[in-house]
Amino acid sequence: QVHLVESGGGLVKSGGSLTLTCAASGFTFSDFYMSWIRQVPGKGLEWLSYISGSGATGSIYYADSVKGRFTMSRDNAKNSLYLQINSLRVEDTAVYYCARGPDIVEESAANMDVWGQGTTVTVS
Amino acid sequence: DIQMTQSPSSLSASVGDTVTITCRASHSIGSYLNWYQQKPGRAPKLLIYAASTLQSGVPSRFSGSGSGADFTLTISGLQPEDFATYYCQQSYSTPLTFGGGTRVEIK
């Protein structure tokens, strides 16, 4: 069945870097947009970035709050999605989720229909 | 950026009640509106997309309506497993944005 599994979280010192990975299975990975979303403990959901199925330059979008520090990429041959986070700040402490979608070109596909279980990043 | 405002932020209800949650966008977003349910310690789950289309496998007691800037999520006949936090989210334009959430608690 369709499955997303995040990894790479952990305890990191402020100013450090981390790369999160999302392993996809059960669907044709390259056919789908993918997103990263985070959630600070006890708070709401914050969309971070999304990438088209091809991952081509110009098809990656970021929230202003992370632009320049976060880099999203994908390797369709490995069915994997990545989020590189640089210059980590205490306020980056959160659970990071990957999700399938959205394809905002089509209204019926402009949603995030499959989510991973999340990986926790703690910045001290 | 499009701001999404949910109300109420929390509510208490009993099993069997009908519950309505509203979501207002700061600009018209057509029907690019999704609803998610999140239980403690779990990832969000898509309930409704394109404002009113029920995601496969979601019970029919959940329904969504609205277009433009005003949307509602209705749960008809609240079940014990429905006590959770609900989020609306717009996909009309980047940055994608979520509402602040509505926590549905047991009365």
Side-chain angles (χ1 to χ4, degrees), chain A:
Chain A
Q1 72 272 31
V2 177
H3 211 44
L4 297 173
V5 178
E6 302 93 337
S7 61
L11 177 61
V12 186
K13 290 189 176 179
S14 179
S17 297
L18 205 60
T19 297
L20 307 182
T21 300
C22 172
S25 60
F27 64 101
T28 304
F29 183 63
S30 59
D31 283 351
F32 289 87
Y33 280 72
M34 297 293 295
S35 293
W36 286 100
I37 303 99
R38 71 181 176 186
Q39 186 170 37
V40 172
K43 302 296 184 183
L45 299 166
E46 180 188 14
W47 171 80
L48 302 176
S49 61
Y50 76 71
I51 187 171
S52 70
S54 69
T57 303
S59 71
I60 307 173
Y61 297 85
Y62 296 96
D64 285 345
S65 60
V66 303
K67 204 175 292 183
R69 287 196 306 125
F70 288 26
T71 303
M72 186 179 189
S73 62
R74 66 191 297 161
D75 185 336
N76 288 342
K78 295 183 177 179
N79 288 343
S80 292
L81 182 72
Y82 307 100
L83 186 67
Q84 181 179 348
I85 309 174
N86 296 324
S87 304
L88 276 156
R89 304 167 180 169
V90 171
E91 54 266 35
D92 293 323
T93 295
V95 176
Y96 286 73
Y97 296 101
C98 65
R100 188 173 77 170
D103 180 351
I104 66 170
V105 173
E106 185 177 336
E107 192 176 85
S108 64
N111 56 78
M112 291 171 277
D113 66 339
V114 180
W115 295 61
Q117 86 289 350
T119 187
T120 300
V121 173
T122 304
V123 184
S124 63

Side-chain angles (χ1 to χ4, degrees), chain B residues 44-58:
Chain B
K45 171 188 173 183
L46 178 66
L47 295 178
I48 288 171
Y49 62 92
S52 61
T53 304
L54 202 64
Q55 172 69 347
S56 176
V58 174

Side-chain angles (χ1 to χ4, degrees), chain B residues 18-70:
Chain B
T18 292
V19 166
T20 299
I21 299 168
T22 65
C23 179
R24 174 164 288 178
S26 60
H27 303 287
S28 177
I29 59 171
S31 295
Y32 280 81
L33 189 283
N34 307 305
W35 290 98
Y36 301 86
Q37 175 195 65
Q38 187 179 33
K39 297 180 179 179
R42 305 290 297 274
K45 171 188 173 183
L46 178 66
L47 295 178
I48 288 171
Y49 62 92
S52 61
T53 304
L54 202 64
Q55 172 69 347
S56 176
V58 174
S60 59
R61 61 181 179 272
F62 291 92
S63 63
S65 65
S67 66
D70 292 302

